[in-house]
């Protein structure tokens, strides 16, 4: 049995983390230092005894390594030379002294330090049979692997034959032959020389098998193809690699079949998709048709065929949420609460299609979102403004390049449930041209007798839309076709009165704008009179969008005044409102106090409210 001489010593020294490099004792190493933590460690070593602890990182992608990111076993090295490069980095030439194990890492100033236990294990003089046999085996393995690594210099073998120390031989071969830094680290962590040689031989033999396998794959590919057919060569090489790994197209087919059988979808859809998978299995690898089929299968599998969310059927709770989100809108709220009450009595009720009709800014879009929250359903918005192609609604045939499903199926896929609240925004803004009439395609979507089997041109399988709660919004029904109007229940949202606007401003708009501008009601107070003056004299609209803008402008001006003048709080009244918003923009018309000859007073009602008409 070989006998060892061991020598151990405890030291504290700076640490340089190495990325993808492993240093060995008695072997010179050259590397560049770029990171601040490494530069600081180098400077600390230069100002002391020139000794440094070189430890490899576990993950080379880590930019700012902590103590936990470093291997515990490293190499104590002495810096022989350090030079500054033109780029501002430091080039270090060092020589490994001995192996060491970090007892603990700790931060010192702006670099990492370590308490290390250096350990040198050497064989007693005089060789034995086992040592000689292990060294010969290591020589043999190194010569074999050089057949597959032409980049290693040929004089490496001569240099290694001149080394008589088994431990140094293992380190020398590992530093020159091994490719992966993890394998080099494994060698570094073995302190006993003979055990190190054994580990090295096992790693090299494993690497030889891998290189032989790569060489066999390359030979098989070269036998099958002509050197001029580059594209064919690449495809065949990929195929053989996949065969060697057991990862061929059959596993993809099995994966699709498994997904289809697991998915809870109608029988008609399952049969159609299994047919498409069968077609895919017969197409060649990389063919354009295969890509079309894969895209189709992935899209169909993403559709929520039978995934639903449970509704909140508590009418009182839903009513509280609707009231908290919006003031007024009594008719809309009543209609939703009626639907929930009926749903409680008859859970199978479907085909609810509502159209919210009203001027801009009265809250049509936001009330749909509030309805979804009250019912605990997913909410998805489909914007129809400017849609002029029927394919936007129904999708394109999948045989076309760049084909995709229509907006309805895309919205279902996005919300991952078949019973969302689907907002069809600006349904009156659809227009027709040579590509077709999208409003005609909407007839099937919004027909309660047909939408249980909606057919998208891309999907080609009936999709059930009957459980969706469709809410359409429109400013006017003037351009909407009569058959489309007939399919929807019209709920009209009227112009807000000044007191409704006041309530909305106090309960919703003011708090929203104060929060947005970093204010609160203690810092900025706006009286009811000031809000009414803003409604009457600075806005003329049916909704509250301009009112919200004016409140936002008021908050900005007040924020500037509070910051520049160091004020604790401000109060806005109708008297000082002009200081912030300027002169009044609108003036309410009044009936003349005395009769004017030849002039008759009339009344008009518009989207923006009522007005006086003077007719001569």
């Amino acid at each position: 049995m070989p006998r060892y001489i061991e020598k151990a010593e405890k030291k504290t020294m700076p640490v340089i983390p190495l990325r993808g490099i492993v240093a060995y004792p008695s072997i010179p190493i050259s590397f560049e230092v770029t990171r601040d933590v490494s530069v600081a460690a180098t400077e600390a070593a230069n100002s002391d005894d020139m000794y440094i602890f070189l430890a490899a990182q576990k993950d080379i992608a880590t930019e700012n390594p902590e103590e936990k990111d470093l291997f515990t076993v490293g190499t104590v090295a002495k810096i022989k030379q350090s030079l500054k490069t033109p780029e501002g980095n430091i080039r270090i030439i060092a020589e490994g002294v001995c192996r060491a194990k970090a007892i603990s890492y700790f931060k010192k100033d702006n670099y990492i330090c370590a308490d290390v236990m250096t350990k040198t294990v050497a064989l007693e003089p005089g060789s034995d049979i086992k040592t000689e046999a292990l060294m010969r085996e290591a020589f043999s393995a190194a010569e074999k692997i050089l057949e597959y690594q032409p980049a290693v210099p040929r004089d490496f073998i001569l240099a290694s034959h001149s080394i008589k120390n088994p431990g140094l031989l293992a380190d020398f071969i590992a530093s020159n032959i091994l490719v992966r830094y993890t394998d080099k680290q494994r060698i570094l962590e073995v302190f006993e020389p003979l055990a190190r040689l054994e580990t090295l031989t096992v790693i090299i033999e494993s690497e030889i098998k891998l290189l032989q396998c790569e060489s066999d794959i390359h030979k098989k590919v070269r036998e099958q193809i002509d050197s001029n057919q580059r594209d064919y060569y690449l495809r065949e090489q990929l195929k053989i690699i996949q065969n060697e790994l057991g990862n061929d197209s059959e596993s993809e087919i099995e994966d699709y079949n498994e997904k289809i059988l697991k998915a809870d979808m109608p029988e008609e859809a399952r049969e159609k998709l299994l047919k498409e998978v069968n077609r895919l299995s017969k197409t060649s690898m990389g063919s354009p048709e295969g890509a079309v089929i894969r895209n189709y299968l992935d899209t169909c599998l993403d559709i929520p065929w039978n995934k639903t969310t449970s509704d909140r059927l508590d009418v009182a709770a839903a009513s509280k949420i609707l009231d908290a989100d919006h003031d007024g809108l009594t008719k809309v709220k009543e209609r939703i609460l009626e639907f929930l009450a009926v749903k409680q009595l008859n859970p199978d009720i479907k085909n609810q299609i509502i159209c919210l009709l009203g001027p801009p800014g009265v809250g049509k879009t936001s009330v749909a979102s509030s309805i979804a929250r009250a019912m605990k359903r997913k909410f998805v918005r489909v914007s129809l403004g400017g849609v002029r192609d029927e394919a936007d609604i129904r999708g394109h045939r999948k045989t076309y390049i760049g084909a995709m499903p229509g907006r309805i199926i895309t919205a279902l896929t996005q919300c991952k449930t078949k019973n969302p609240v689907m907002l069809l925004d600006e349904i009156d803004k659809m227009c027709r041209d040579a590509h077709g009439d999208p409003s005609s395609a909407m007839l099937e979507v919004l027909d309660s007798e047909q939408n249980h089997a909606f057919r998208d041109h891309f999907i080609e399988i009936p999709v059930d839309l009957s459980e969706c709660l469709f809410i359409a919004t429109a400013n006017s029904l003037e351009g909407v076709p009569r058959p489309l109007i007939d399919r929807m229940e019209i709920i009209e949202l009227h112009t807000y009165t000044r007191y409704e606007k006041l309530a909305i401003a106090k309960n919703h708009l003011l708090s929203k704008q104060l929060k947005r501008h970093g204010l609160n009601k203690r810092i900025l107070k706006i009286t009811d009179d000031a809000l009414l003056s803003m409604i009457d004299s600075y806005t003329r609209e049916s909704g509250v969008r301009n009112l919200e803008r004016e409140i936002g402008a008021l908050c900005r001006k007040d924020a500037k005044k509070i910051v520049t003048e160091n004020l604790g709080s401000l109060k806005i009244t109708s008297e000082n409102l002009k200081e912030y918003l300027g002169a009044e923009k609108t003036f309410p018309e009044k009936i003349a106090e005395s009769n004017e000859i030849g002039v008759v007073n009339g009344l008009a009602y518009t989207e923006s409210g009522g007005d006086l008409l003077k007719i001569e």
Side-chain angles (χ1 to χ4, degrees), residues 261-518:
L261 294 172
K262 276 187 180 178
D264 184 13
M265 62 174 65
E267 193 59 34
E268 184 182 350
R270 184 175 286 109
E271 286 176 10
K272 169 77 175 169
L273 295 188
L274 288 173
K275 270 187 190 175
E276 292 293 328
V277 172
N278 188 37
R279 278 182 62 205
L280 180 63
S281 66
K282 294 173 184 175
T283 57
S284 61
M285 190 79 177
S287 72
E289 189 183 0
V292 169
I293 296 172
R294 284 186 193 88
N295 182 33
Y296 176 72
L297 289 170
D298 290 337
T299 305
C300 289
L301 287 168
D302 284 341
I303 295 172
W305 295 100
N306 278 309
K307 293 177 186 173
T308 57
T309 53
S310 54
D311 289 339
R312 188 209 308 261
L313 299 176
D314 186 346
V315 176
S319 177
K320 279 183 184 176
I321 290 169
L322 290 171
D323 288 337
D325 287 352
H326 293 85
D327 282 300
L329 305 180
T330 311
K331 197 173 177 183
V332 183
K333 293 175 184 175
E334 274 181 14
R335 179 64 186 84
I336 299 306
L337 298 177
E338 285 166 9
F339 169 64
L340 292 178
V342 174
K343 186 93 173 164
Q344 258 184 319
L345 301 174
N346 178 17
D348 297 328
I349 188 171
K350 297 178 182 179
N351 309 325
Q352 302 302 309
I353 299 156
I354 296 167
C355 179
L356 303 177
L357 176 66
V362 295
K364 299 185 294 297
T365 304
S366 63
V367 82
S369 173
S370 179
I371 289 166
R373 197 163 76 87
M375 295 177 69
K376 261 194 172 177
R377 284 195 183 190
K378 294 282 184 73
F379 175 69
V380 62
R381 177 175 171 270
V382 179
S383 178
L384 298 176
V387 170
R388 55 188 177 79
D389 191 348
E390 181 199 350
D392 275 0
I393 308 297
R394 278 194 178 278
H396 307 78
R397 300 283 178 197
K398 69 173 183 286
T399 49
Y400 297 142
I401 294 170
M404 61 180 70
R407 296 194 182 203
I408 304 298
I409 297 297
T410 303
L412 272 188
T413 305
Q414 283 172 355
C415 64
K416 297 182 174 61
T417 174
K418 67 179 286 191
N419 66 335
V421 173
M422 191 176 292
L423 175 68
L424 304 173
D425 210 4
E426 308 289 0
I427 201 167
D428 57 326
K429 303 296 188 301
M430 287 189 295
C431 47
R432 67 179 76 182
D433 69 356
H435 297 286
D437 183 5
S439 60
S440 300
M442 290 299 297
L443 293 177
E444 184 183 358
V445 177
L446 299 180
D447 191 337
S448 56
E449 300 302 320
Q450 296 178 43
N451 66 7
H452 65 278
F454 172 71
R455 280 185 181 270
D456 186 277
H457 288 156
F458 183 86
I459 304 297
E460 297 176 339
I461 306 169
V463 179
D464 185 6
L465 301 178
S466 61
E467 293 188 41
C468 294
L469 175 57
F470 287 105
I471 298 179
T473 68
N475 298 133
S476 164
L477 296 178
E478 212 169 295
V480 183
R482 188 69 213 172
L484 196 56
I485 296 172
D486 195 46
R487 283 162 166 75
M488 301 183 291
E489 180 181 344
I490 310 294
I491 298 178
E492 202 167 341
L493 276 66
H494 295 286
T495 302
Y496 291 124
T497 64
R498 68 197 294 262
Y499 290 105
E500 283 175 338
K501 289 181 183 179
L502 176 65
I504 292 168
K506 285 172 67 178
N507 298 335
H508 301 281
L509 305 182
L510 186 56
S511 54
K512 178 181 169 184
Q513 289 297 327
L514 286 173
K515 184 179 178 183
R516 186 178 174 189
H517 292 86

Side-chain angles (χ1 to χ4, degrees), residues 589-597 601 612 614:
E589 284 201 51
K590 294 179 182 178
I591 298 173
E593 292 179 3
S594 58
N595 292 332
E596 293 185 31
I597 297 168
N601 287 323
L612 277 173
K614 292 188 176 181

Side-chain angles (χ1 to χ4, degrees), residues 139-159:
F139 286 136
S140 174
E143 286 175 348
K144 269 192 214 172
I145 203 167
L146 284 181
E147 295 175 14
Y148 302 98
Q149 291 186 344
V152 178
R154 288 293 154 189
D155 56 357
F156 160 76
I157 291 294
L158 295 173

Side-chain angles (χ1 to χ4, degrees), residues 519 557-567 570:
L519 304 169
K557 293 177 188 300
D558 289 334
K560 181 188 172 187
K561 198 165 187 178
I562 286 166
V563 170
T564 54
E565 299 179 17
N566 293 323
L567 300 175
L570 274 174

Side-chain angles (χ1 to χ4, degrees), residues 534 538 550 553-554 557 576-583 585:
M534 288 168 71
Y538 291 91
E550 294 296 336
L554 202 58
K557 293 177 188 300
N576 64 358
L577 187 63
K578 282 185 183 179
E579 295 175 21
Y580 297 94
L581 298 182
K585 297 176 184 176

Side-chain angles (χ1 to χ4, degrees), residues 154-171:
R154 288 293 154 189
D155 56 357
F156 160 76
I157 291 294
L158 295 173
S160 59
H161 274 290
S162 66
I163 299 172
K164 303 302 178 189
N165 183 330
L168 180 57
L169 177 66
D171 291 344

